[in-house]
Amino acid sequence: MSKYIINQLGENREEYFNAAIPPIFSNSNFLFSKIDDMRLAMNDNNLAFYTRGNNPTTRILEKKIAALEKTENAIGLSSGMAAISTAVLSQVKSGENMISVSQPYSGTEKLFKEVLPNYGIEVTYVDGKNPENFRKKIKKNTKAIYLESPNSWTWDMQDLEEISKIAKENKIITIIDNSYASPINCNPSSWGIDIVIHSLTKYIGGHASAMGGIICSSNEIIEKIYESEYKLLGGVLSPFNSWLFINGLRTLKIRMNYISKSTPEVVQFLERHKKIKKVIYPHSKNYNQKYLSEKYLKKPCGQFSIILNTENEDKIETFCDALCDDNTSFRMAASWGGHESLIFPELVRYNIKSKYYSETELLPKNYIRFYIGLEETKLIIKDISDSLDRI
C-alpha cells in the first residue's frame, strides 16, 4: 500500500504530459475565463485558486502524507513550527487552557512559554509518562492536549491510546508531533490522536534541502484550519519545497529501513563503552518504557542521546570536536533527518547570547543528542570510537 501512496497517489500524470515527476507549479495565481469557473474554484478547497490557499504540487504532497498517516486530509506549511503554531492556535483561544507534555522540542516550548501567554492562553505542563497526569490537570476550559512521543533529548514516551481516551471523555483535542518516527514507523491517528504534525524538514525531506511542516487530521478539522488560521496566518509551503518533499518520499521507506538496522548497532557499541555513562534510546533493551516503544514504534529510528561519563567541559568539547573533524562522518547541527550523521551537544546551549534557548530547562552538559544518517555503519562506529579515545 505504501508503495502505491509514495509513487502514484495524487499523481494524475496525463494532466502534465505523463512526466515521471510532478511539475513545480510555482505560480501564485490561477486564471479563469468564466465567473462560474472562478466561483467553483473559490468554493472547492481541492481546486487551485491562489497558492496561499491551494497549489497543485503541494496538494499532491498533502494527499500522500495524509494517506501514509491514515488521516482524511492534510495541510502543508512553511516549517515544522508553522505547523505546530497553526495547529495549536486553531484549537485554543484566549481564556482557554491546554496541557502539554513537559520538555517538548525547544521551539515548541518557547512558543508555549513566551508567545501563547501574550494572547491569554494558559499552558499546563505534565510528566507524560503517566496518562493519569493529564487527567489530573484537566480544567473546565482545557481544549487541547499536546504530545511529543518520544519527546526531544530525553526520549520519554506517552501512552497515546490511553491519553486519547481521556481526552475524548472530556471533549479535548489531542495534537502530536510525530517527526521522530515518521509516518512509516508510527501512525498516531490509529490510536485516536486527532491532529498529527510533522516537520517535513526531517525524515520526509531526507536530504537537508528544504524547510516545511504538515498537519494531518480529519476533513472537518483540516477544513476549519484551512478557512481560518492556515490562509490568514500565511505560513504557506513553497511549491518548490513541496516538489523536493515528494521526491524525498520516494526513498523514505528505504532510508528508514537502513536507519532501523544501523542505529541499534551504533547504540549497542556505545552501551558497552566505559566512557559512556548512559544511552537513552527508545529501541534499546535498557529503555525504561520498552512496552510503549514496542506498542507504538514499528521499527527503530535514528535518534538517541548519550550521557558521557565525564562532566569536564574540556573533555566533552574535545570529544565533540574530534567526532566532527573534517575527516569523519559526523557534523554538528540543530536539525536532523537527512543523509548525514549529526550531533547536538547540550553544552552548546550554555553561555550563549541567543534568546532562543533562554527559557529551556537545560540538561546536564554531558548530554549529547545523536542522529544516525546513511553512512556505512562500521565507519560511524569507528569515528565515535576514535573520538572517545581522545578523552
Side-chain angles (χ1 to χ4, degrees), residues 115-134:
V115 178
L116 295 188
N118 293 336
Y119 297 92
I121 298 172
E122 178 190 46
V123 183
T124 303
Y125 294 91
V126 301
D127 181 343
K129 293 192 287 293
N130 184 349
E132 289 302 311
N133 290 342
F134 291 90

Side-chain angles (χ1 to χ4, degrees), residues 200-354:
L200 296 170
T201 313
K202 308 299 193 294
Y203 278 136
I204 290 170
H207 296 85
S209 59
M211 296 283 291
I214 198 159
I215 303 170
C216 305
S217 191
S218 65
N219 282 326
E220 180 182 358
I221 289 176
I222 291 295
E223 286 170 11
K224 178 178 178 291
I225 296 173
Y226 178 88
E227 291 297 339
S228 183
E229 289 78 13
Y230 171 68
K231 289 200 291 188
L232 298 180
L233 294 178
V236 181
L237 179 58
S238 157
F240 178 71
N241 286 3
S242 296
W243 181 78
L244 290 173
F245 293 136
I246 290 169
N247 289 311
L249 277 177
R250 307 294 199 203
T251 61
L252 177 61
K253 194 167 186 178
I254 296 169
R255 288 185 282 109
M256 296 308 294
N257 282 340
Y258 183 86
I259 287 168
S260 74
K261 297 174 183 175
S262 179
T263 308
E265 290 186 36
V266 177
V267 168
Q268 288 166 18
F269 163 77
L270 287 164
E271 287 177 329
R272 294 191 298 264
H273 203 287
K274 64 181 180 180
K275 293 183 181 179
I276 304 299
K277 184 176 181 180
K278 187 177 181 180
V279 181
I280 309 169
Y281 184 48
H283 315 277
S284 169
K285 64 180 181 180
N286 299 321
Y287 181 61
N288 62 6
Q289 292 179 293
K290 190 67 175 175
Y291 67 101
L292 289 182
S293 63
E294 290 177 345
K295 179 176 180 178
Y296 294 115
L297 300 173
K298 298 173 188 176
K299 288 187 177 182
C301 303
Q303 278 191 294
F304 58 89
S305 294
I306 68 167
I307 306 174
L308 281 176
N309 200 15
T310 178
E311 296 180 7
N312 183 287
E313 289 188 28
D314 290 337
K315 290 184 177 181
I316 296 168
E317 191 167 334
T318 295
F319 166 72
C320 294
D321 289 351
L323 184 58
C324 298
D325 182 84
D326 288 343
N327 297 316
T328 69
S329 50
F330 279 85
R331 292 295 180 271
M332 297 183 211
S335 190
W336 52 273
H339 57 278
E340 69 282 21
S341 291
L342 303 168
I343 63 168
F344 190 144
E346 180 72 356
L347 185 61
V348 171
R349 299 204 280 189
Y350 282 78
N351 302 318
I352 59 174
K353 294 180 180 179
S354 170

Side-chain angles (χ1 to χ4, degrees), residues 102 128 134 144 177 196 227 306 317 327 357 370 389:
S102 61
F134 291 90
D177 182 342
V196 182
E227 291 297 339
I306 68 167
E317 191 167 334
N327 297 316
Y357 297 113
F370 272 71
D389 287 344

